[in-house]
Amino acid sequence: MNNPLLNLIIFGPPGSGKGTQAVKIAQQFNLKHLSTGDLLRGQIKNETKLGLEAKAFMDQGELVPDTVVIGMIQDEIKNRATDIHGFIFDGFPRTIAQAESLDNMLAAHNETISLVLSLKVGEEEIVDRLLARGKDSGRADDADEATIRNRIKVYHEKTGPVEDYYNKQSKVDAIAGEGEIQSITEALIDAITVVV
Ligand code: B4P
């Protein structure tokens, strides 16, 4: 029998370091890094219909409709390479509906979420980081403080409950997300090593 895949979720508010850390974790454990933010920005860059639809939501700091992101993730799971050891989901799921869909998609492949790594970062630190990134990222959603604060509000309203959803399954490990990027990576690797 094949070993079960290692399926991780890196979770946290915007700017908590999800993307930054997911790249390193994916490399360390040979996982496929799936960032819905990156996938959506790719669609915008290629000026697809989906990208045009998503851009209006993203620029305002609002969530893109569930059906759009769920469809994207479904395709990625279906077309996965055979030599990966699992997935690290970054920026997904962001709503309870997305979390339920992800559980169902994985169950269809006899898979499950192994661990949710929840990065804890204070609100003012997040605002500082995103404003700093906005100086050269060209991202409209990082460009002004009002949009960044709206993203944080949307996070509390719609995405925060996703942590409770996985807490009920005893799958969440909270990790301090402030400080040196490398020490946070090491704390994440230690937490993952417990479940591998
Ligand atoms: P994302 O691309 O997921 O945007 P993000 O939350 O800002 O990314 P992330 O949290 O990974 O950034 P990071 O901390 O690494 O989403 C963008 C938008 O897409 C959403 O608002 C939404 O509209 C849409 N979207 C995406 N997924 C969706 C979904 N599932 N459903 C609906 N809509 C969806 O980086 C932040 C900055 O902090 C960087 O500059 C980094 O260098 C810095 N940083 C990281 N760690 C640090 C540390 N320890 N110390 C100092 N700085 C650090």
Side-chain angles (χ1 to χ4, degrees):
M1 213 175 90
N2 292 330
N3 286 326
L5 296 183
L6 175 66
N7 293 312
L8 306 174
I9 293 173
I10 189 141
F11 186 84
S16 53
K18 300 185 297 287
T20 306
Q21 296 294 342
V23 172
K24 294 165 186 284
I25 301 297
Q27 206 171 17
Q28 176 82 17
F29 293 94
N30 187 23
L31 305 175
K32 168 85 176 164
H33 174 206
L34 279 184
S35 157
T36 37
D38 287 350
L39 290 170
L40 290 166
R41 283 185 288 276
Q43 296 278 345
I44 293 173
K45 195 163 165 241
N46 293 331
E47 299 181 341
T48 65
K49 184 165 167 281
L50 190 157
L52 287 175
E53 188 191 342
K55 189 176 187 311
F57 293 98
M58 291 171 77
D59 285 358
Q60 304 292 318
E62 295 293 329
L63 295 184
V64 172
D66 284 338
T67 46
V68 174
V69 277
I70 290 168
M72 279 186 340
I73 291 288
Q74 216 154 17
D75 292 345
E76 294 285 339
I77 292 180
K78 206 168 71 189
N79 303 323
R80 69 182 186 218
T82 49
D83 61 343
I84 55 161
H85 293 169
F87 291 101
I88 179 159
F89 297 97
D90 160 11
F92 182 89
R94 258 180 161 94
T95 62
I96 296 286
Q98 292 180 20
E100 289 172 345
S101 292
L102 178 60
D103 275 354
N104 291 336
M105 284 185 252
L106 292 174
H109 295 270
N110 290 321
E111 296 291 341
T112 182
I113 288 298
S114 320
L115 183 66
V116 178
L117 299 153
S118 177
L119 290 169
K120 301 293 175 189
V121 180
E123 184 160 329
E124 295 316 307
E125 166 82 11
I126 285 170
V127 174
D128 289 349
R129 283 185 192 180
L130 294 180
L131 282 173
R133 182 171 70 183
K135 283 188 185 139
D136 47 29
S137 71
R139 276 177 58 170
D141 59 346
D142 288 343
D144 69 276
E145 191 169 331
T147 309
I148 291 171
R149 294 218 183 258
N150 188 45
R151 287 163 67 191
I152 297 171
K153 180 171 160 276
V154 170
Y155 169 81
H156 287 304
E157 285 171 4
K158 299 192 172 151
T159 308
V162 173
E163 184 164 2
D164 302 332
Y165 174 90
Y166 287 109
N167 252 327
K168 288 191 187 121
Q169 302 180 20
S170 307
K171 287 185 173 169
V172 181
D173 204 338
I175 307 286
E178 292 187 35
E180 290 275 326
I181 289 177
Q182 184 54 28
S183 359
I184 299 166
T185 310
E186 283 160 19
L188 290 165
I189 290 173
D190 286 348
I192 298 163
T193 307
V194 174
V195 302
V196 206

